[in-house]
Amino acid sequence: MASCVPLVHLYETKPMANVTNQEDYFENDTIKVIYSFWSEHGTFSFSIYNKLNVPIYIDWKKSSFIKNNDKLNYWNDETLTKTVSKGGSRSTVSYSGYSLLTSIGGISNSTSVKPEQITFIAPKSTIYKIQFKLHPEEDKRFRVDSIEYNESNTPVFFRNFMTLSTSDKFEKEFYIDNGFYVSKISEMLASHFCGGALYLIDDNIKMMKSETPFKRKSRFYIIMR
């Protein structure tokens, strides 16, 4: 066990006023979407539950994550390549439909995957989506005790826009547009944030205690290293 890092910035979010979602979920007669942002730098993750007795389809090509008005695509027409190497050195070049792997002295395995454009959700079942970070990994240091924001002056706001249908041909579409904004940033000692305890990995502080009393699905944090 070691002493805590000096400071933590705790980010709190609220739903935008023009959407009918609760603090961390949206629900109508068709689906229930539960959001969870809790991680360092924030992870935009959500689950979608199909409440109907018929399948629902999501077209990710017609869906977007929108942060501060910048549109980020859930789906691109390209192949993703993941390479795992044991020993030696390697280099990988990947582009749509192809991957080139070179390795020197070692064993490497390369897997190419085409992302799914249309997701099928069976009746009374749930799917999960995790793809984007809410805050840059490289954060500028600044000092703040506590500051509150509204929708007009918030430094970070983001939306989840999805196109869905009960037909795989998408003859009739409906849309979900859920928005959130950072409503408050609080600064505190890491010892206060983590309840006086940290997990240590390789002699470095890398993971805050998961039982922190500040943990909420609608919040995320940044450790000011």
PDB file of all heavy atoms in Angstrom, residues 26-61:
ATOM      1  N   PHE A  26     -32.758   5.827 -20.266  1.00  0.00           N
ATOM      2  CA  PHE A  26     -33.884   6.283 -21.069  1.00  0.00           C
ATOM      3  C   PHE A  26     -34.796   5.089 -21.300  1.00  0.00           C
ATOM      4  O   PHE A  26     -34.338   3.970 -21.534  1.00  0.00           O
ATOM      5  CB  PHE A  26     -33.408   6.827 -22.415  1.00  0.00           C
ATOM      6  CG  PHE A  26     -34.510   6.960 -23.434  1.00  0.00           C
ATOM      7  CD1 PHE A  26     -35.292   8.101 -23.478  1.00  0.00           C
ATOM      8  CD2 PHE A  26     -34.783   5.938 -24.325  1.00  0.00           C
ATOM      9  CE1 PHE A  26     -36.316   8.226 -24.404  1.00  0.00           C
ATOM     10  CE2 PHE A  26     -35.814   6.048 -25.255  1.00  0.00           C
ATOM     11  CZ  PHE A  26     -36.578   7.201 -25.287  1.00  0.00           C
ATOM     12  N   GLU A  27     -36.118   5.320 -21.274  1.00  0.00           N
ATOM     13  CA  GLU A  27     -37.054   4.211 -21.450  1.00  0.00           C
ATOM     14  C   GLU A  27     -38.319   4.702 -22.137  1.00  0.00           C
ATOM     15  O   GLU A  27     -38.823   5.786 -21.843  1.00  0.00           O
ATOM     16  CB  GLU A  27     -37.394   3.600 -20.090  1.00  0.00           C
ATOM     17  CG  GLU A  27     -38.250   2.359 -20.171  1.00  0.00           C
ATOM     18  CD  GLU A  27     -38.411   1.676 -18.821  1.00  0.00           C
ATOM     19  OE1 GLU A  27     -38.175   2.342 -17.787  1.00  0.00           O
ATOM     20  OE2 GLU A  27     -38.769   0.489 -18.800  1.00  0.00           O
ATOM     21  N   ASN A  28     -38.790   3.893 -23.092  1.00  0.00           N
ATOM     22  CA  ASN A  28     -40.111   4.115 -23.676  1.00  0.00           C
ATOM     23  C   ASN A  28     -40.820   2.767 -23.784  1.00  0.00           C
ATOM     24  O   ASN A  28     -40.412   1.806 -23.138  1.00  0.00           O
ATOM     25  CB  ASN A  28     -40.013   4.829 -25.036  1.00  0.00           C
ATOM     26  CG  ASN A  28     -39.181   4.053 -26.051  1.00  0.00           C
ATOM     27  OD1 ASN A  28     -38.983   2.837 -25.919  1.00  0.00           O
ATOM     28  ND2 ASN A  28     -38.715   4.744 -27.090  1.00  0.00           N
ATOM     29  N   ASP A  29     -41.864   2.680 -24.599  1.00  0.00           N
ATOM     30  CA  ASP A  29     -42.616   1.427 -24.709  1.00  0.00           C
ATOM     31  C   ASP A  29     -41.848   0.340 -25.452  1.00  0.00           C
ATOM     32  O   ASP A  29     -42.234  -0.830 -25.408  1.00  0.00           O
ATOM     33  CB  ASP A  29     -43.949   1.671 -25.423  1.00  0.00           C
ATOM     34  CG  ASP A  29     -44.890   2.551 -24.609  1.00  0.00           C
ATOM     35  OD1 ASP A  29     -44.711   2.609 -23.381  1.00  0.00           O
ATOM     36  OD2 ASP A  29     -45.777   3.182 -25.213  1.00  0.00           O
ATOM     37  N   THR A  30     -40.770   0.716 -26.134  1.00  0.00           N
ATOM     38  CA  THR A  30     -40.058  -0.218 -27.011  1.00  0.00           C
ATOM     39  C   THR A  30     -38.742  -0.708 -26.426  1.00  0.00           C
ATOM     40  O   THR A  30     -38.441  -1.902 -26.460  1.00  0.00           O
ATOM     41  CB  THR A  30     -39.784   0.458 -28.373  1.00  0.00           C
ATOM     42  OG1 THR A  30     -41.020   0.908 -28.925  1.00  0.00           O
ATOM     43  CG2 THR A  30     -39.112  -0.515 -29.330  1.00  0.00           C
ATOM     44  N   ILE A  31     -37.935   0.214 -25.895  1.00  0.00           N
ATOM     45  CA  ILE A  31     -36.600  -0.143 -25.410  1.00  0.00           C
ATOM     46  C   ILE A  31     -36.297   0.548 -24.086  1.00  0.00           C
ATOM     47  O   ILE A  31     -36.962   1.529 -23.714  1.00  0.00           O
ATOM     48  CB  ILE A  31     -35.492   0.233 -26.424  1.00  0.00           C
ATOM     49  CG1 ILE A  31     -35.451   1.754 -26.623  1.00  0.00           C
ATOM     50  CG2 ILE A  31     -35.668  -0.496 -27.734  1.00  0.00           C
ATOM     51  CD1 ILE A  31     -34.278   2.209 -27.459  1.00  0.00           C
ATOM     52  N   LYS A  32     -35.282   0.034 -23.406  1.00  0.00           N
ATOM     53  CA  LYS A  32     -34.708   0.705 -22.230  1.00  0.00           C
ATOM     54  C   LYS A  32     -33.203   0.776 -22.452  1.00  0.00           C
ATOM     55  O   LYS A  32     -32.553  -0.246 -22.680  1.00  0.00           O
ATOM     56  CB  LYS A  32     -35.014  -0.045 -20.937  1.00  0.00           C
ATOM     57  CG  LYS A  32     -34.463   0.666 -19.694  1.00  0.00           C
ATOM     58  CD  LYS A  32     -34.914  -0.008 -18.400  1.00  0.00           C
ATOM     59  CE  LYS A  32     -34.427   0.778 -17.184  1.00  0.00           C
ATOM     60  NZ  LYS A  32     -34.898   0.182 -15.912  1.00  0.00           N
ATOM     61  N   VAL A  33     -32.653   1.996 -22.414  1.00  0.00           N
ATOM     62  CA  VAL A  33     -31.227   2.223 -22.606  1.00  0.00           C
ATOM     63  C   VAL A  33     -30.632   2.680 -21.277  1.00  0.00           C
ATOM     64  O   VAL A  33     -31.049   3.706 -20.730  1.00  0.00           O
ATOM     65  CB  VAL A  33     -30.958   3.293 -23.686  1.00  0.00           C
ATOM     66  CG1 VAL A  33     -29.462   3.395 -23.966  1.00  0.00           C
ATOM     67  CG2 VAL A  33     -31.725   2.986 -24.960  1.00  0.00           C
ATOM     68  N   ILE A  34     -29.683   1.912 -20.755  1.00  0.00           N
ATOM     69  CA  ILE A  34     -29.031   2.248 -19.492  1.00  0.00           C
ATOM     70  C   ILE A  34     -27.600   2.679 -19.783  1.00  0.00           C
ATOM     71  O   ILE A  34     -26.846   1.952 -20.441  1.00  0.00           O
ATOM     72  CB  ILE A  34     -29.031   1.052 -18.522  1.00  0.00           C
ATOM     73  CG1 ILE A  34     -30.468   0.622 -18.217  1.00  0.00           C
ATOM     74  CG2 ILE A  34     -28.300   1.413 -17.224  1.00  0.00           C
ATOM     75  CD1 ILE A  34     -30.565  -0.592 -17.312  1.00  0.00           C
ATOM     76  N   TYR A  35     -27.219   3.866 -19.297  1.00  0.00           N
ATOM     77  CA  TYR A  35     -25.897   4.442 -19.554  1.00  0.00           C
ATOM     78  C   TYR A  35     -25.003   4.284 -18.336  1.00  0.00           C
ATOM     79  O   TYR A  35     -25.470   4.315 -17.191  1.00  0.00           O
ATOM     80  CB  TYR A  35     -26.013   5.918 -19.911  1.00  0.00           C
ATOM     81  CG  TYR A  35     -26.709   6.172 -21.225  1.00  0.00           C
ATOM     82  CD1 TYR A  35     -28.088   6.376 -21.266  1.00  0.00           C
ATOM     83  CD2 TYR A  35     -25.998   6.177 -22.415  1.00  0.00           C
ATOM     84  CE1 TYR A  35     -28.732   6.595 -22.478  1.00  0.00           C
ATOM     85  CE2 TYR A  35     -26.636   6.392 -23.628  1.00  0.00           C
ATOM     86  CZ  TYR A  35     -28.001   6.599 -23.653  1.00  0.00           C
ATOM     87  OH  TYR A  35     -28.623   6.806 -24.853  1.00  0.00           O
ATOM     88  N   SER A  36     -23.693   4.153 -18.600  1.00  0.00           N
ATOM     89  CA  SER A  36     -22.708   4.106 -17.523  1.00  0.00           C
ATOM     90  C   SER A  36     -21.419   4.744 -18.014  1.00  0.00           C
ATOM     91  O   SER A  36     -20.834   4.294 -19.002  1.00  0.00           O
ATOM     92  CB  SER A  36     -22.439   2.667 -17.074  1.00  0.00           C
ATOM     93  OG  SER A  36     -21.498   2.647 -16.019  1.00  0.00           O
ATOM     94  N   PHE A  37     -20.963   5.798 -17.329  1.00  0.00           N
ATOM     95  CA  PHE A  37     -19.764   6.536 -17.725  1.00  0.00           C
ATOM     96  C   PHE A  37     -18.588   6.297 -16.788  1.00  0.00           C
ATOM     97  O   PHE A  37     -17.483   6.762 -17.041  1.00  0.00           O
ATOM     98  CB  PHE A  37     -20.065   8.041 -17.759  1.00  0.00           C
ATOM     99  CG  PHE A  37     -21.319   8.409 -18.497  1.00  0.00           C
ATOM    100  CD1 PHE A  37     -22.181   9.382 -18.000  1.00  0.00           C
ATOM    101  CD2 PHE A  37     -21.652   7.779 -19.687  1.00  0.00           C
ATOM    102  CE1 PHE A  37     -23.339   9.723 -18.681  1.00  0.00           C
ATOM    103  CE2 PHE A  37     -22.811   8.105 -20.380  1.00  0.00           C
ATOM    104  CZ  PHE A  37     -23.666   9.087 -19.861  1.00  0.00           C
ATOM    105  N   TRP A  38     -18.808   5.574 -15.699  1.00  0.00           N
ATOM    106  CA  TRP A  38     -17.825   5.511 -14.620  1.00  0.00           C
ATOM    107  C   TRP A  38     -16.533   4.801 -15.041  1.00  0.00           C
ATOM    108  O   TRP A  38     -16.509   3.599 -15.276  1.00  0.00           O
ATOM    109  CB  TRP A  38     -18.406   4.810 -13.405  1.00  0.00           C
ATOM    110  CG  TRP A  38     -17.447   4.778 -12.240  1.00  0.00           C
ATOM    111  CD1 TRP A  38     -16.678   3.729 -11.842  1.00  0.00           C
ATOM    112  CD2 TRP A  38     -17.143   5.856 -11.351  1.00  0.00           C
ATOM    113  NE1 TRP A  38     -15.919   4.084 -10.750  1.00  0.00           N
ATOM    114  CE2 TRP A  38     -16.174   5.391 -10.426  1.00  0.00           C
ATOM    115  CE3 TRP A  38     -17.580   7.171 -11.252  1.00  0.00           C
ATOM    116  CZ2 TRP A  38     -15.653   6.192  -9.416  1.00  0.00           C
ATOM    117  CZ3 TRP A  38     -17.072   7.971 -10.243  1.00  0.00           C
ATOM    118  CH2 TRP A  38     -16.119   7.478  -9.339  1.00  0.00           C
ATOM    119  N   SER A  39     -15.464   5.565 -15.136  1.00  0.00           N
ATOM    120  CA  SER A  39     -14.107   5.064 -15.337  1.00  0.00           C
ATOM    121  C   SER A  39     -13.199   6.283 -15.348  1.00  0.00           C
ATOM    122  O   SER A  39     -13.677   7.425 -15.386  1.00  0.00           O
ATOM    123  CB  SER A  39     -13.950   4.281 -16.654  1.00  0.00           C
ATOM    124  OG  SER A  39     -14.012   5.168 -17.758  1.00  0.00           O
ATOM    125  N   GLU A  40     -11.890   6.073 -15.348  1.00  0.00           N
ATOM    126  CA  GLU A  40     -10.989   7.202 -15.479  1.00  0.00           C
ATOM    127  C   GLU A  40     -11.102   7.762 -16.901  1.00  0.00           C
ATOM    128  O   GLU A  40     -11.056   7.012 -17.874  1.00  0.00           O
ATOM    129  CB  GLU A  40      -9.543   6.800 -15.183  1.00  0.00           C
ATOM    130  CG  GLU A  40      -8.606   8.001 -15.170  1.00  0.00           C
ATOM    131  CD  GLU A  40      -7.184   7.680 -14.751  1.00  0.00           C
ATOM    132  OE1 GLU A  40      -6.886   6.485 -14.542  1.00  0.00           O
ATOM    133  OE2 GLU A  40      -6.378   8.611 -14.642  1.00  0.00           O
ATOM    134  N   HIS A  41     -11.286   9.043 -17.028  1.00  0.00           N
ATOM    135  CA  HIS A  41     -11.519   9.769 -18.278  1.00  0.00           C
ATOM    136  C   HIS A  41     -12.899   9.504 -18.864  1.00  0.00           C
ATOM    137  O   HIS A  41     -13.242  10.075 -19.894  1.00  0.00           O
ATOM    138  CB  HIS A  41     -10.445   9.459 -19.325  1.00  0.00           C
ATOM    139  CG  HIS A  41      -9.082   9.919 -18.927  1.00  0.00           C
ATOM    140  ND1 HIS A  41      -8.654  11.226 -19.064  1.00  0.00           N
ATOM    141  CD2 HIS A  41      -8.038   9.261 -18.363  1.00  0.00           C
ATOM    142  CE1 HIS A  41      -7.418  11.334 -18.623  1.00  0.00           C
ATOM    143  NE2 HIS A  41      -7.025  10.167 -18.188  1.00  0.00           N
ATOM    144  N   GLY A  42     -13.687   8.670 -18.254  1.00  0.00           N
ATOM    145  CA  GLY A  42     -15.048   8.438 -18.694  1.00  0.00           C
ATOM    146  C   GLY A  42     -15.154   7.514 -19.889  1.00  0.00           C
ATOM    147  O   GLY A  42     -14.473   7.701 -20.889  1.00  0.00           O
ATOM    148  N   THR A  43     -16.002   6.517 -19.803  1.00  0.00           N
ATOM    149  CA  THR A  43     -16.266   5.594 -20.900  1.00  0.00           C
ATOM    150  C   THR A  43     -17.737   5.697 -21.281  1.00  0.00           C
ATOM    151  O   THR A  43     -18.602   5.568 -20.422  1.00  0.00           O
ATOM    152  CB  THR A  43     -15.945   4.143 -20.497  1.00  0.00           C
ATOM    153  OG1 THR A  43     -14.570   4.045 -20.141  1.00  0.00           O
ATOM    154  CG2 THR A  43     -16.245   3.190 -21.647  1.00  0.00           C
ATOM    155  N   PHE A  44     -18.011   5.956 -22.547  1.00  0.00           N
ATOM    156  CA  PHE A  44     -19.401   6.044 -22.992  1.00  0.00           C
ATOM    157  C   PHE A  44     -19.895   4.631 -23.292  1.00  0.00           C
ATOM    158  O   PHE A  44     -19.701   4.105 -24.385  1.00  0.00           O
ATOM    159  CB  PHE A  44     -19.521   6.932 -24.227  1.00  0.00           C
ATOM    160  CG  PHE A  44     -20.953   7.238 -24.577  1.00  0.00           C
ATOM    161  CD1 PHE A  44     -21.690   8.095 -23.786  1.00  0.00           C
ATOM    162  CD2 PHE A  44     -21.554   6.672 -25.683  1.00  0.00           C
ATOM    163  CE1 PHE A  44     -23.011   8.384 -24.089  1.00  0.00           C
ATOM    164  CE2 PHE A  44     -22.869   6.948 -26.000  1.00  0.00           C
ATOM    165  CZ  PHE A  44     -23.605   7.810 -25.201  1.00  0.00           C
ATOM    166  N   SER A  45     -20.524   4.038 -22.309  1.00  0.00           N
ATOM    167  CA  SER A  45     -21.029   2.675 -22.464  1.00  0.00           C
ATOM    168  C   SER A  45     -22.527   2.659 -22.162  1.00  0.00           C
ATOM    169  O   SER A  45     -23.019   3.443 -21.342  1.00  0.00           O
ATOM    170  CB  SER A  45     -20.288   1.709 -21.535  1.00  0.00           C
ATOM    171  OG  SER A  45     -20.495   2.057 -20.180  1.00  0.00           O
ATOM    172  N   PHE A  46     -23.237   1.770 -22.846  1.00  0.00           N
ATOM    173  CA  PHE A  46     -24.674   1.665 -22.614  1.00  0.00           C
ATOM    174  C   PHE A  46     -25.169   0.286 -23.011  1.00  0.00           C
ATOM    175  O   PHE A  46     -24.541  -0.433 -23.803  1.00  0.00           O
ATOM    176  CB  PHE A  46     -25.445   2.754 -23.374  1.00  0.00           C
ATOM    177  CG  PHE A  46     -25.227   2.774 -24.860  1.00  0.00           C
ATOM    178  CD1 PHE A  46     -26.087   2.105 -25.722  1.00  0.00           C
ATOM    179  CD2 PHE A  46     -24.162   3.482 -25.418  1.00  0.00           C
ATOM    180  CE1 PHE A  46     -25.893   2.143 -27.093  1.00  0.00           C
ATOM    181  CE2 PHE A  46     -23.972   3.532 -26.782  1.00  0.00           C
ATOM    182  CZ  PHE A  46     -24.834   2.852 -27.623  1.00  0.00           C
ATOM    183  N   SER A  47     -26.289  -0.092 -22.428  1.00  0.00           N
ATOM    184  CA  SER A  47     -26.978  -1.329 -22.790  1.00  0.00           C
ATOM    185  C   SER A  47     -28.342  -0.962 -23.357  1.00  0.00           C
ATOM    186  O   SER A  47     -28.921   0.073 -23.009  1.00  0.00           O
ATOM    187  CB  SER A  47     -27.145  -2.243 -21.575  1.00  0.00           C
ATOM    188  OG  SER A  47     -27.979  -1.639 -20.595  1.00  0.00           O
ATOM    189  N   ILE A  48     -28.841  -1.825 -24.255  1.00  0.00           N
ATOM    190  CA  ILE A  48     -30.161  -1.619 -24.861  1.00  0.00           C
ATOM    191  C   ILE A  48     -30.980  -2.885 -24.639  1.00  0.00           C
ATOM    192  O   ILE A  48     -30.587  -3.968 -25.080  1.00  0.00           O
ATOM    193  CB  ILE A  48     -30.063  -1.327 -26.363  1.00  0.00           C
ATOM    194  CG1 ILE A  48     -29.145  -0.133 -26.625  1.00  0.00           C
ATOM    195  CG2 ILE A  48     -31.448  -1.065 -26.948  1.00  0.00           C
ATOM    196  CD1 ILE A  48     -28.876   0.116 -28.091  1.00  0.00           C
ATOM    197  N   TYR A  49     -32.107  -2.746 -23.966  1.00  0.00           N
ATOM    198  CA  TYR A  49     -33.007  -3.877 -23.716  1.00  0.00           C
ATOM    199  C   TYR A  49     -34.230  -3.757 -24.621  1.00  0.00           C
ATOM    200  O   TYR A  49     -34.893  -2.708 -24.659  1.00  0.00           O
ATOM    201  CB  TYR A  49     -33.438  -3.899 -22.257  1.00  0.00           C
ATOM    202  CG  TYR A  49     -34.456  -4.979 -21.942  1.00  0.00           C
ATOM    203  CD1 TYR A  49     -34.077  -6.322 -21.944  1.00  0.00           C
ATOM    204  CD2 TYR A  49     -35.782  -4.652 -21.663  1.00  0.00           C
ATOM    205  CE1 TYR A  49     -35.006  -7.322 -21.661  1.00  0.00           C
ATOM    206  CE2 TYR A  49     -36.710  -5.637 -21.382  1.00  0.00           C
ATOM    207  CZ  TYR A  49     -36.318  -6.971 -21.396  1.00  0.00           C
ATOM    208  OH  TYR A  49     -37.237  -7.963 -21.126  1.00  0.00           O
ATOM    209  N   ASN A  50     -34.526  -4.820 -25.361  1.00  0.00           N
ATOM    210  CA  ASN A  50     -35.692  -4.879 -26.241  1.00  0.00           C
ATOM    211  C   ASN A  50     -36.902  -5.339 -25.429  1.00  0.00           C
ATOM    212  O   ASN A  50     -36.978  -6.487 -25.005  1.00  0.00           O
ATOM    213  CB  ASN A  50     -35.421  -5.846 -27.396  1.00  0.00           C
ATOM    214  CG  ASN A  50     -36.603  -5.977 -28.341  1.00  0.00           C
ATOM    215  OD1 ASN A  50     -37.609  -5.286 -28.210  1.00  0.00           O
ATOM    216  ND2 ASN A  50     -36.493  -6.882 -29.308  1.00  0.00           N
ATOM    217  N   LYS A  51     -37.857  -4.456 -25.240  1.00  0.00           N
ATOM    218  CA  LYS A  51     -39.034  -4.772 -24.438  1.00  0.00           C
ATOM    219  C   LYS A  51     -40.129  -5.463 -25.238  1.00  0.00           C
ATOM    220  O   LYS A  51     -41.109  -5.946 -24.655  1.00  0.00           O
ATOM    221  CB  LYS A  51     -39.584  -3.482 -23.826  1.00  0.00           C
ATOM    222  CG  LYS A  51     -38.587  -2.764 -22.927  1.00  0.00           C
ATOM    223  CD  LYS A  51     -39.047  -1.371 -22.534  1.00  0.00           C
ATOM    224  CE  LYS A  51     -40.256  -1.411 -21.638  1.00  0.00           C
ATOM    225  NZ  LYS A  51     -40.636  -0.053 -21.157  1.00  0.00           N
ATOM    226  N   LEU A  52     -39.973  -5.524 -26.560  1.00  0.00           N
ATOM    227  CA  LEU A  52     -41.018  -6.060 -27.426  1.00  0.00           C
ATOM    228  C   LEU A  52     -40.964  -7.583 -27.518  1.00  0.00           C
ATOM    229  O   LEU A  52     -40.000  -8.227 -27.083  1.00  0.00           O
ATOM    230  CB  LEU A  52     -40.879  -5.465 -28.830  1.00  0.00           C
ATOM    231  CG  LEU A  52     -40.948  -3.936 -28.944  1.00  0.00           C
ATOM    232  CD1 LEU A  52     -40.783  -3.518 -30.396  1.00  0.00           C
ATOM    233  CD2 LEU A  52     -42.249  -3.405 -28.365  1.00  0.00           C
ATOM    234  N   ASN A  53     -41.985  -8.140 -28.150  1.00  0.00           N
ATOM    235  CA  ASN A  53     -42.035  -9.579 -28.435  1.00  0.00           C
ATOM    236  C   ASN A  53     -41.579  -9.884 -29.847  1.00  0.00           C
ATOM    237  O   ASN A  53     -41.731 -11.013 -30.326  1.00  0.00           O
ATOM    238  CB  ASN A  53     -43.453 -10.111 -28.213  1.00  0.00           C
ATOM    239  CG  ASN A  53     -43.871 -10.062 -26.754  1.00  0.00           C
ATOM    240  OD1 ASN A  53     -43.087 -10.407 -25.869  1.00  0.00           O
ATOM    241  ND2 ASN A  53     -45.098  -9.635 -26.504  1.00  0.00           N
ATOM    242  N   VAL A  54     -41.028  -8.887 -30.528  1.00  0.00           N
ATOM    243  CA  VAL A  54     -40.471  -9.059 -31.878  1.00  0.00           C
ATOM    244  C   VAL A  54     -39.059  -8.488 -31.869  1.00  0.00           C
ATOM    245  O   VAL A  54     -38.698  -7.682 -30.998  1.00  0.00           O
ATOM    246  CB  VAL A  54     -41.323  -8.339 -32.948  1.00  0.00           C
ATOM    247  CG1 VAL A  54     -42.717  -8.950 -33.023  1.00  0.00           C
ATOM    248  CG2 VAL A  54     -41.407  -6.848 -32.666  1.00  0.00           C
ATOM    249  N   PRO A  55     -38.205  -8.882 -32.829  1.00  0.00           N
ATOM    250  CA  PRO A  55     -36.832  -8.368 -32.855  1.00  0.00           C
ATOM    251  C   PRO A  55     -36.782  -6.871 -33.154  1.00  0.00           C
ATOM    252  O   PRO A  55     -37.683  -6.300 -33.759  1.00  0.00           O
ATOM    253  CB  PRO A  55     -36.170  -9.172 -33.986  1.00  0.00           C
ATOM    254  CG  PRO A  55     -37.024 -10.374 -34.164  1.00  0.00           C
ATOM    255  CD  PRO A  55     -38.418  -9.933 -33.845  1.00  0.00           C
ATOM    256  N   ILE A  56     -35.676  -6.253 -32.729  1.00  0.00           N
ATOM    257  CA  ILE A  56     -35.352  -4.864 -33.069  1.00  0.00           C
ATOM    258  C   ILE A  56     -33.979  -4.863 -33.728  1.00  0.00           C
ATOM    259  O   ILE A  56     -33.100  -5.656 -33.355  1.00  0.00           O
ATOM    260  CB  ILE A  56     -35.358  -3.963 -31.820  1.00  0.00           C
ATOM    261  CG1 ILE A  56     -36.789  -3.758 -31.324  1.00  0.00           C
ATOM    262  CG2 ILE A  56     -34.717  -2.609 -32.105  1.00  0.00           C
ATOM    263  CD1 ILE A  56     -36.866  -2.914 -30.064  1.00  0.00           C
ATOM    264  N   TYR A  57     -33.787  -3.974 -34.688  1.00  0.00           N
ATOM    265  CA  TYR A  57     -32.513  -3.863 -35.392  1.00  0.00           C
ATOM    266  C   TYR A  57     -31.967  -2.435 -35.235  1.00  0.00           C
ATOM    267  O   TYR A  57     -32.720  -1.474 -35.285  1.00  0.00           O
ATOM    268  CB  TYR A  57     -32.688  -4.182 -36.885  1.00  0.00           C
ATOM    269  CG  TYR A  57     -33.249  -5.561 -37.140  1.00  0.00           C
ATOM    270  CD1 TYR A  57     -34.634  -5.779 -37.121  1.00  0.00           C
ATOM    271  CD2 TYR A  57     -32.403  -6.648 -37.386  1.00  0.00           C
ATOM    272  CE1 TYR A  57     -35.153  -7.052 -37.343  1.00  0.00           C
ATOM    273  CE2 TYR A  57     -32.926  -7.916 -37.617  1.00  0.00           C
ATOM    274  CZ  TYR A  57     -34.294  -8.106 -37.584  1.00  0.00           C
ATOM    275  OH  TYR A  57     -34.817  -9.368 -37.806  1.00  0.00           O
ATOM    276  N   ILE A  58     -30.652  -2.329 -35.062  1.00  0.00           N
ATOM    277  CA  ILE A  58     -29.988  -1.034 -34.997  1.00  0.00           C
ATOM    278  C   ILE A  58     -29.046  -0.915 -36.188  1.00  0.00           C
ATOM    279  O   ILE A  58     -28.235  -1.808 -36.429  1.00  0.00           O
ATOM    280  CB  ILE A  58     -29.181  -0.876 -33.701  1.00  0.00           C
ATOM    281  CG1 ILE A  58     -30.077  -1.043 -32.477  1.00  0.00           C
ATOM    282  CG2 ILE A  58     -28.498   0.494 -33.649  1.00  0.00           C
ATOM    283  CD1 ILE A  58     -29.312  -0.982 -31.172  1.00  0.00           C
ATOM    284  N   ASP A  59     -29.137   0.193 -36.916  1.00  0.00           N
ATOM    285  CA  ASP A  59     -28.224   0.464 -38.025  1.00  0.00           C
ATOM    286  C   ASP A  59     -27.162   1.437 -37.516  1.00  0.00           C
ATOM    287  O   ASP A  59     -27.408   2.638 -37.369  1.00  0.00           O
ATOM    288  CB  ASP A  59     -28.979   1.075 -39.204  1.00  0.00           C
ATOM    289  CG  ASP A  59     -28.107   1.176 -40.457  1.00  0.00           C
ATOM    290  OD1 ASP A  59     -26.862   1.112 -40.328  1.00  0.00           O
ATOM    291  OD2 ASP A  59     -28.666   1.324 -41.557  1.00  0.00           O
ATOM    292  N   TRP A  60     -25.958   0.926 -37.243  1.00  0.00           N
ATOM    293  CA  TRP A  60     -24.893   1.760 -36.691  1.00  0.00           C
ATOM    294  C   TRP A  60     -24.345   2.743 -37.722  1.00  0.00           C
ATOM    295  O   TRP A  60     -23.751   3.756 -37.358  1.00  0.00           O
ATOM    296  CB  TRP A  60     -23.764   0.884 -36.148  1.00  0.00           C
ATOM    297  CG  TRP A  60     -24.192   0.022 -35.003  1.00  0.00           C
ATOM    298  CD1 TRP A  60     -24.290  -1.332 -34.979  1.00  0.00           C
ATOM    299  CD2 TRP A  60     -24.594   0.469 -33.697  1.00  0.00           C
ATOM    300  NE1 TRP A  60     -24.735  -1.776 -33.758  1.00  0.00           N
ATOM    301  CE2 TRP A  60     -24.929  -0.689 -32.947  1.00  0.00           C
ATOM    302  CE3 TRP A  60     -24.708   1.723 -33.097  1.00  0.00           C
ATOM    303  CZ2 TRP A  60     -25.363  -0.607 -31.625  1.00  0.00           C
ATOM    304  CZ3 TRP A  60     -25.147   1.793 -31.775  1.00  0.00           C
ATOM    305  CH2 TRP A  60     -25.463   0.638 -31.067  1.00  0.00           C
ATOM    306  N   LYS A  61     -24.551   2.477 -39.014  1.00  0.00           N
ATOM    307  CA  LYS A  61     -24.131   3.423 -40.048  1.00  0.00           C
ATOM    308  C   LYS A  61     -24.956   4.703 -39.965  1.00  0.00           C
ATOM    309  O   LYS A  61     -24.485   5.793 -40.321  1.00  0.00           O
ATOM    310  CB  LYS A  61     -24.273   2.788 -41.435  1.00  0.00           C
ATOM    311  CG  LYS A  61     -23.760   3.658 -42.579  1.00  0.00           C
ATOM    312  CD  LYS A  61     -23.895   2.950 -43.923  1.00  0.00           C
ATOM    313  CE  LYS A  61     -23.362   3.825 -45.055  1.00  0.00           C
ATOM    314  NZ  LYS A  61     -23.483   3.145 -46.378  1.00  0.00           N
TER     315      LYS A  61
END
